[in-house]
Amino acid sequence: MLNIVKNTTFVGPFDLLAPHSCRGCGHIGNAFCDCCKNNIIFEHENYCPNCKKLNPTGKCSHCKTLPPIFVAGSRQEILGNLIHDYKYHSVRALAFPLADILNGILPHIDGEVIIVPLPTINRHIRTRALDHTYLIAKHLKKLRGKNYRLEKLLLRENNTVQVGANEKDRIEQASHAYKINQNLKIDSSKTYLLLDDVWTTGASMKSAVKKLRQAGAEKIIISILVVNRLN
Ligand SMILES: [Zn+2]
Ligand SMILES: [Zn+2]
């Protein structure tokens, strides 16, 4: 039962510092310094969030129905604290280092790539004054170069909050969470890079993949910042 206490709710010494102190080492200047950021990229090992097995190529041999998945880390590590501060304390300055970490762990992708952030509930965007996944996607697009575009291809179908719901409820809710934005067209020659901050049960992401495939997307890659528990 002790696992219920997440370290992301713990107020550490650096949480009390000014927004522009590094959450990793306390160095003044950036919300997360280059050195701490590069450490995460350098030490990164890719895991499949679905079966928790090492997954260096992104394509998990155990989870055959899933597209390749790239995960930056675990919520129980410093990345989890960064996302918590970014999302719940609206520390916008963390959007860039978080995008840069994703940039560092993602492989080179040939051809045209469309970044598709999983949409956040409107109410949360309003209360946080931040569309957190979209903002990371915007930075990621700039970091990745000319063959990348950003599209709000997925829209919210319902606004049910998943936090606290059990796994069965989450899967049920997630199956109605998204719809395809009919103003945009899916092109099967392009790669769709789905982006979300946290993988808990994977229900949201699996639902998003299903919607994209039904609409004709053939090449899909998933990128996630943190998995709730890797072990
Ligand atoms: Zn640092
Ligand atoms: Zn797997």
Side-chain angles (χ1 to χ4, degrees):
M1 290 302 283
L2 275 174
N3 286 348
I4 292 169
V5 181
K6 294 175 190 157
N7 72 352
T8 48
T9 56
F10 173 76
V11 178
F14 299 127
D15 295 333
L16 303 172
L17 300 176
H20 295 299
S21 303
C22 174
R23 264 71 183 158
C25 64
H27 192 269
I28 306 291
N30 294 310
F32 198 60
C33 77
D34 282 350
C35 187
C36 289
K37 184 184 71 192
N38 290 335
N39 276 345
I40 289 182
I41 296 169
F42 187 71
E43 289 169 9
H44 171 255
E45 274 190 310
N46 203 52
Y47 277 83
C48 170
N50 198 52
C51 67
K52 316 286 193 270
K53 293 197 168 66
L54 259 177
N55 177 30
T57 64
K59 182 67 191 157
C60 180
S61 55
H62 305 275
C63 306
K64 292 192 167 58
T65 58
L66 289 173
I69 310 182
F70 295 88
V71 175
S74 145
R75 195 173 187 168
Q76 283 65 37
E77 296 163 355
I78 182 126
L79 256 179
N81 293 340
L82 295 185
I83 289 166
H84 181 88
D85 271 8
Y86 172 55
K87 196 167 158 180
Y88 299 110
H89 301 299
S90 301
V91 183
R92 298 176 77 94
L94 288 167
F96 182 77
L98 287 169
D100 209 3
I101 289 166
L102 275 181
N103 183 40
I105 64 118
L106 281 166
H108 171 81
I109 307 170
D110 283 324
E112 267 194 79
V113 183
I114 311 292
I115 303 176
V116 182
L118 260 61
T120 304
I121 296 170
N122 283 336
R123 179 160 47 86
H124 288 174
I125 296 172
R126 281 198 304 274
T127 52
R128 295 172 191 155
L130 177 70
D131 191 346
H132 70 284
T133 314
Y134 183 76
L135 185 55
I136 290 174
K138 258 173 92 171
H139 285 299
L140 184 64
K141 177 194 148 339
K142 282 186 204 146
L143 287 163
R144 287 254 120 185
K146 281 192 183 138
N147 58 325
Y148 280 70
R149 290 222 319 274
L150 172 57
E151 286 183 357
K152 286 188 171 180
L153 191 58
L154 288 168
L155 303 173
R156 294 290 310 195
E157 178 109 86
N158 72 43
N159 283 312
T160 311
V161 182
Q162 284 211 345
V163 176
N166 66 37
E167 184 163 353
K168 195 163 159 265
D169 290 345
R170 278 174 170 258
I171 292 165
E172 166 58 22
Q173 288 164 10
S175 65
H176 313 290
Y178 310 116
K179 60 185 174 191
I180 297 286
N181 182 348
Q182 297 298 336
N183 296 323
L184 298 168
K185 263 179 88 175
I186 293 223
D187 178 342
S188 62
S189 70
K190 293 176 184 165
T191 301
Y192 291 87
L193 179 63
L194 284 167
L195 172 64
D196 205 6
D197 57 343
V198 181
W199 174 295
T200 302
T201 62
S204 305
M205 189 52 86
K206 287 173 189 170
S207 157
V209 167
K210 197 171 165 188
K211 291 283 171 193
L212 252 70
R213 282 180 175 157
Q214 282 170 348
E218 288 175 12
K219 294 189 273 184
I220 298 175
I221 294 178
I222 295 173
S223 56
I224 302 275
L225 273 161
V226 292
V227 176
N228 230 338
R229 283 212 171 270
L230 272 174
N231 44 43

